[in-house]
Amino acid sequence: MNQLPFEKVTIVMGSQSDWPTMEMATKPLTDLGVPFATAVVSAHRTPQRMVEFATTAHERGTQVIIAGAGGSAHLPGMIAAMTPLPVIGVPVASKFMTGMDSLLSIVQMPKGVAVATQAVGASGAFNAGLMAAQMLSLTDPELQKRLIAWRENQSAGVPFEVE
Ligand code: RP5
């Protein structure tokens, strides 16, 4: 596939190896009926693809970008520098530093370029999907209703008794 995909929420990641983590972002989006697209876009290995993606996403129907990367994780910040869209960053756990490198790379943005950084790993990816849905729900009352029901369902699934 040579064409970059664009959807209301577009999820990009630095490598195919990030997918097992980033796939978690698709779960709340699927549950809540929010359309999404996915692609591998590497800040280091495919810099031109990153520039094309980041500079055109807002003209192609994307409203929120989720960007995940590990190690020297420049992807979310570089995309944020080139788009007016909100960028949610997911630090993927790395091989040698368990994600501390990814977290600090993504969270320590200079003033003037914002990335909404989530937790390291699968929970962060899941919450990135949830956060994207919450952002879109600001202008979508039906989605907001589904979000409220989703939350109620989550609460109802937590039992009082310890087994
Ligand atoms: C980053 O380098 C990717 O986001 C990935 O987390 C990490 C390792 O990539 P691979 O060597 O597995 O392709 O750019």
Side-chain angles (χ1 to χ4, degrees), residues 14-15 17-18 42 44-45 68-71 92:
S15 168
S17 68
D18 296 326
S42 168
H44 306 114
R45 293 172 179 151
V92 174

Side-chain angles (χ1 to χ4, degrees), residues 9 11-12 19 33 46-47 52 58-59 66 74 78 83 85-87 99 106 109 111-112 118 127 134 139-140 163:
V9 177
I11 303 169
V12 293
W19 177 238
T46 64
E52 188 200 335
H58 68 290
E59 296 164 345
I66 296 174
H74 296 130
M78 287 306 300
T83 181
L85 299 173
V87 176
I106 295 175
M109 288 298 294
K111 184 175 70 178
Q118 301 297 309
N127 283 347
Q134 287 177 280
T139 53
D140 184 340
E163 290 178 15

Side-chain angles (χ1 to χ4, degrees), residues 12-15 18 21-22 41-44 66-77 88-94 99 101-103 105-106 120-121:
V12 293
M13 60 214 82
S15 168
D18 296 326
T21 300
M22 295 309 295
V41 176
S42 168
H44 306 114
I66 296 174
S72 184
H74 296 130
L75 184 67
I88 304 173
V90 179
V92 174
S94 56
D101 45 357
S102 324
L103 174 64
S105 301
I106 295 175
V120 176

